[in-house]
């Protein structure tokens, strides 16, 4: 299974923010859209990732306030990325290795979407469920050998 399979199911809605925008506007966007991350874009280029992790760390540093903080000052400016062709198992390893919950999907320099650890886990579970159902159906439909009749199988 590849990242493109997740994107196909997930759809193409993307939420982005500029690095020069205020963190308060970014937080409002995240809250209104019930999302945990925003891709930070500058002149059409990926320059970072803003997740609730960076937001919370910033709020703690500011004594519980977002204040006039800019996205640029709190974003992850070296986010993990993958391509639509990246295998899901590789994405899992990458996300676990960096404790990343969100990953931009890039095709060369074009942002194709964002996948979350939840998306990856759901895809794996759905795939395993499908495989499990197919195996059970295969076993259920297994041809049963008819018991051999001793008289017909003995040589004459």
């Amino acid at each position: 299974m590849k990242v493109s399979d997740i994107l196909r199911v997930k759809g193409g809605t993307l939420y982005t923010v500029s690095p020069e925008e205020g963190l308060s506007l970014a937080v409002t966007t995240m809250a209104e859209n019930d999302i945990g991350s925003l891709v930070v874009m500058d002149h059409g280029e990926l320059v970072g990732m803003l997740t609730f992790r960076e937001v919370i760390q910033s709020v703690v540093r500011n004594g519980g306030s977002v204040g006039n903080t800019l996205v640029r000052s709190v974003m992850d400016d070296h986010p993990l990325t993958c391509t639509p062709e990246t295998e899901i198992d590789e994405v899992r390893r990458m996300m676990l290795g960096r404790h990343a919950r969100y990953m931009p999907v890039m095709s060369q320099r074009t942002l194709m979407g964002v996948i979350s650890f939840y998306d990856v886990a759901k895809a794996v579970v759905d795939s395993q469920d499908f495989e499990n159902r197919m195996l059970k159906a295969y076993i259920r439909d297994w041809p049963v050998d008819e018991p051999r009749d001793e008289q017909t199988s003995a040589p004459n």
Side-chain angles (χ1 to χ4, degrees), residues 14-156:
L14 287 172
Y15 296 96
T16 64
V17 65
S18 159
E20 302 309 320
E21 287 201 33
L23 185 58
S24 61
L25 180 60
V27 169
T28 299
T29 301
M30 292 167 77
E32 287 175 349
N33 294 291
D34 193 26
I35 55 174
S37 70
L38 291 169
V39 180
V40 185
M41 302 290 286
D42 192 20
H43 303 294
E45 298 285 322
L46 170 72
V47 295
M49 193 76 179
L50 180 69
T51 71
F52 59 86
R53 177 183 287 153
E54 288 83 26
V55 171
I56 290 170
Q57 289 171 347
S58 174
V59 167
V60 168
R61 280 193 306 271
N62 282 332
S65 169
V66 173
N68 294 325
T69 306
L70 296 180
V71 168
R72 177 180 300 287
S73 66
V74 298
M75 69 184 191
D76 175 357
D77 58 0
H78 289 92
L80 277 176
T81 63
C82 62
T83 71
E85 296 306 307
T86 306
E87 294 286 336
I88 295 302
D89 286 341
E90 178 62 18
V91 170
R92 278 194 314 191
R93 280 190 287 279
M94 292 166 63
M95 292 178 108
L96 286 169
R98 282 260 310 261
H99 297 267
R101 291 178 181 89
Y102 302 93
M103 186 181 293
V105 180
M106 303 294 292
S107 180
Q108 294 169 350
R109 299 178 77 92
T110 303
L111 177 64
M112 304 302 291
V114 174
I115 59 172
S116 68
F117 196 78
Y118 171 84
D119 297 329
V120 173
K122 183 178 183 322
V124 169
V125 167
D126 289 350
S127 174
Q128 289 172 343
D129 285 349
F130 176 75
E131 186 176 310
N132 193 0
R133 284 193 311 275
M134 293 297 102
L135 286 170
K136 285 179 179 177
Y138 180 75
I139 291 168
R140 185 181 57 241
D141 295 339
W142 190 279
V144 177
D145 289 337
E146 294 296 322
R148 298 184 93 179
D149 185 353
E150 299 288 327
Q151 295 173 349
T152 58
S153 63
N156 290 336

